[in-house]
Amino acid sequence: QCWMKGRLPDIKVSKGGYISGVPPPRPPIIAEHSLAAMYSGDEWRPKEHSKSATDSSFVCGKVDEDVDYQSGEMLNAVQFITSADGCCEECRSSSGCEAWTWGKLRVDDTENTVCYLKSAAPMRYQIKTVPGVVSGLPGKGPMQRPQFDTQAVKVVRPGSLFCFSLVMPQSYEQELMSAQHSLNAGIFACDEAAVYSNMSMSLAPGITTGVVDSDLHCELGGESYTALNTWIFIAVWRKVVVDGRYLHHDWTVKVDPDSVFFPDRLSVVVAEHQGIGYLNNCKYGLHGPIEVLSRSAVAALAQDYAASFDGKSPKRCVEELHFGTWGEDVFLDRCLSDVLKVSRGMDERLMCEAHCDCPDWYWCKNGTSRVSFHPFKRPDLYSQCVANALDASHSMAQPVMVKKLRK
């Protein structure tokens, strides 16, 4: 199998039996090879508007939809870019880049996947109407980096929770998150909540997803034939550490959309683990339905992101761990404990699911201290689990209203 990469390597890892290399230089790309030449569409009118990139991790400049900039020299064509925001950031981090175009690699491709970096901003006559293509300018403001200064920010209250979920667009997860919001349940009962996806979409009134630079697709594999989603969540955790909202809270909690989650019960649990970096939730190792990290643990992760050349991945963890067949939960566990030396606690109250031998998990009555139950992929089953869990406990403290929802 041949894996083609979008850039030259910044790290090299020795791996038996593998051969890697760099192709010879390509011939210069001239105007007739530009994106606009691949299309005939002069009759189309562009949307001709400018906007800021949706990813708040940086300040993008002018953005034009259905437009190709035919300006300057082609500096590079970076493949596997999954959003216009990602292309803009690629330009901002590339020396000499003054304009960018996000488009297709081939005419018959169905999606934009390539970021074309240009050496000059376009003149009016160099702006070409091309349906589906997005072009823009990188902007001049400083690009933000992962934030990890815990001394500069005070938490909103002792023991506060910042909770987030990742949602696959056009899936059952959207309906699940909307149902949780209507119940003021799950992450929406934390002190602060955020929902991420690979596109900006409205889940409920006032609830819009923040955008991560990933297509959210991965293969299945490994010993358990589970999702090999490490790179997806490397992008998600980057969004978390760049936004920096975690710094305002003692604990950061990643929750899968199909996990029935009770933040008030978690508050009781974390109060018993002061000084611990993060919590393991299963005797077989950390499982992904709920991941609970202290502020210091996320700060350590953020500092490793900041150490990489572009801030997009945790440098030491990526270099020192061979995670090709791991899920994101195994990677996060090993990254924090083995590489970053963050202290780990254990509390089986965090999660009840079959994969951790929790009996009768589907009844959601395995003790009144269980923080989460997993999985429940339909809103009616989710609601029934909530009802069963509340009935088992007879009483439950009123959830804390969300103070601020991050995009």
Side-chain angles (χ1 to χ4, degrees):
Q1 211 168 3
C2 177
W3 287 272
M4 292 178 286
K5 317 296 178 64
R7 64 177 64 184
L8 295 176
D10 57 298
I11 58 171
K12 296 180 181 179
V13 179
S14 177
K15 201 168 184 180
Y18 284 73
I19 301 175
S20 300
V22 177
R26 296 181 180 181
I29 302 176
I30 56 178
E32 56 264 30
H33 293 147
S34 69
L35 278 174
M38 298 180 183
Y39 300 84
S40 60
D42 291 342
E43 70 278 7
W44 284 74
R45 293 186 61 83
K47 297 181 181 178
E48 290 186 354
H49 67 278
S50 297
K51 61 183 181 179
S52 295
T54 54
D55 188 342
S56 61
S57 63
F58 61 94
V59 180
C60 197
K62 177 180 174 66
V63 178
D64 286 324
E65 297 181 4
D66 294 336
V67 166
D68 176 26
Y69 290 170
Q70 297 183 354
S71 57
E73 296 180 0
M74 186 77 73
L75 300 176
N76 198 3
V78 184
Q79 297 188 42
F80 312 115
I81 301 300
T82 59
S83 68
D85 289 347
C87 189
C88 181
E89 187 172 3
E90 196 71 39
C91 183
R92 289 177 59 83
S93 61
S94 299
S95 177
C97 182
E98 295 294 334
W100 54 270
T101 295
W102 182 54
K104 301 175 182 177
L105 178 63
R106 302 176 185 85
V107 178
D108 55 353
D109 286 349
T110 59
E111 296 180 347
N112 293 350
T113 59
V114 183
C115 180
Y116 298 89
L117 307 181
K118 318 291 180 67
S119 66
M123 304 293 287
R124 183 179 296 274
Y125 70 90
Q126 296 173 315
I127 298 176
K128 178 76 172 181
T129 301
V130 181
V133 170
V134 182
S135 296
L137 306 179
K140 299 301 182 182
M143 185 168 60
Q144 294 183 11
R145 301 285 291 181
Q147 302 179 48
F148 51 85
D149 186 0
T150 57
Q151 302 299 317
V153 181
K154 292 183 178 180
V155 297
V156 297
R157 68 173 182 85
S160 60
L161 305 176
F162 169 63
C163 307
F164 70 90
S165 294
L166 175 70
V167 174
M168 176 71 76
Q170 300 179 347
S171 72
Y172 71 90
E173 294 178 343
Q174 286 183 249
E175 188 179 9
L176 267 180
M177 296 305 298
S178 297
Q180 292 171 38
H181 180 264
S182 67
L183 296 170
N184 193 35
I187 67 170
F188 301 108
C190 294
D191 295 274
E192 185 174 346
V195 185
Y196 302 124
S197 187
N198 65 339
M199 60 184 294
S200 179
M201 57 186 179
S202 176
L203 297 176
I207 310 300
T208 304
T209 56
V211 179
V212 299
D213 189 15
S214 170
D215 62 9
L216 305 188
H217 292 288
C218 64
E219 297 180 354
L220 300 178
E223 295 180 359
S224 303
Y225 200 66
T226 53
L228 305 181
N229 54 359
T230 295
W231 279 111
I232 293 175
F233 277 89
I234 284 177
V236 174
W237 280 105
R238 177 184 179 274
K239 175 69 171 171
V240 171
V241 300
V242 169
D243 281 353
R245 293 308 306 173
Y246 80 91
L247 288 168
H248 298 262
H249 303 277
D250 275 340
W251 297 90
T252 294
V253 190
K254 172 256 182 182
V255 184
D256 283 354
D258 59 352
S259 293
V260 178
F261 166 52
F262 298 96
D264 66 316
R265 298 182 181 184
L266 178 59
S267 293
V268 174
V269 171
V270 296
E272 301 175 12
H273 293 280
Q274 297 299 317
I276 293 296
Y278 74 106
L279 294 177
N280 183 23
N281 56 23
C282 179
K283 61 185 179 182
Y284 300 122
L286 181 67
H287 281 200
I290 181 171
E291 297 167 354
V292 182
L293 281 64
S294 69
R295 191 166 72 137
S296 62
V298 186
L301 190 63
Q303 195 164 4
D304 202 30
Y305 273 88
S308 64
F309 82 99
D310 59 2
K312 291 185 177 181
S313 61
K315 185 178 188 294
R316 290 184 56 206
C317 292
V318 169
E319 290 180 354
E320 298 179 24
L321 297 174
H322 299 285
F323 54 91
T325 58
W326 294 355
E328 59 88 16
D329 46 6
V330 178
F331 174 80
L332 182 65
D333 194 12
R334 297 285 298 275
C335 171
L336 292 173
S337 63
D338 295 356
V339 178
L340 303 181
K341 306 302 181 184
V342 176
S343 61
R344 181 178 72 168
M346 169 69 187
D347 203 308
E348 64 179 9
R349 292 174 294 176
L350 289 179
M351 183 183 63
C352 181
E353 70 166 4
H355 294 302
C356 279
D357 302 334
C358 186
D360 298 331
W361 59 269
Y362 41 83
W363 291 117
C364 304
K365 292 187 176 182
N366 300 76
T368 59
S369 59
R370 291 284 184 173
V371 171
S372 67
F373 300 88
H374 177 264
F376 293 88
K377 300 182 182 295
R378 283 174 21 197
D380 58 336
L381 297 179
Y382 186 100
S383 298
Q384 186 61 59
C385 177
V386 172
N388 288 352
L390 295 181
D391 180 64
S393 61
H394 298 292
S395 64
M396 180 177 176
Q398 291 297 313
V400 179
M401 294 296 292
V402 177
K403 291 184 178 179
K404 185 178 182 182
L405 193 74
R406 292 292 296 176
K407 289 186 177 183

